[in-house]
Amino acid sequence: MLNVPGSEPSSPICSAKGCRADAVWVLAWNNPKLHTPERRKTWLACEEHREHLSQFLGVRGFLKDVVKLTEWQAPEGSESQGDES
């Protein structure tokens, strides 16, 4: 898959910095200091980066759920986020 800067990818890609693999997982999270309890932000993960991104969010107490992309239904008020920050 070729990603041209400024264009939309043909399928969702992993949120790990520098990764351009197809996403397989949705990591739902929120920062309780910034977000209401029901709000969910999302990162997408390929198989290779699922564990790393989950640990990154988990040690901060942000990770709420990990779901297969094909099974994900975004709750109202959720936001998707691109690269790992």
Side-chain angles (χ1 to χ4, degrees):
M1 175 173 71
L2 177 64
N3 287 322
V4 178
S7 70
E8 288 295 316
S10 59
S11 62
I13 59 170
C14 181
S15 297
K17 191 170 191 166
C19 183
R20 294 294 168 238
D22 289 344
V24 180
W25 297 95
V26 175
L27 286 66
W29 63 278
N30 84 1
N31 179 340
K33 291 182 180 179
L34 302 176
H35 308 127
T36 58
E38 66 279 352
R39 183 166 179 199
R40 293 292 180 268
K41 296 184 69 92
T42 58
W43 281 354
L44 302 177
C46 64
E47 287 291 348
E48 181 181 349
H49 291 112
R50 181 186 78 153
E51 188 62 31
H52 169 74
L53 294 174
S54 294
Q55 287 179 354
F56 181 91
L57 293 168
V59 298
R60 290 159 178 78
F62 295 175
L63 187 63
K64 301 301 178 191
D65 204 3
V66 178
V67 180
K68 281 272 197 183
L69 180 60
T70 56
E71 298 170 8
W72 174 251
Q73 292 186 359
E76 237 178 89
S78 66
E79 293 179 26
S80 180
Q81 204 169 313
D83 293 331
E84 177 182 346
S85 304

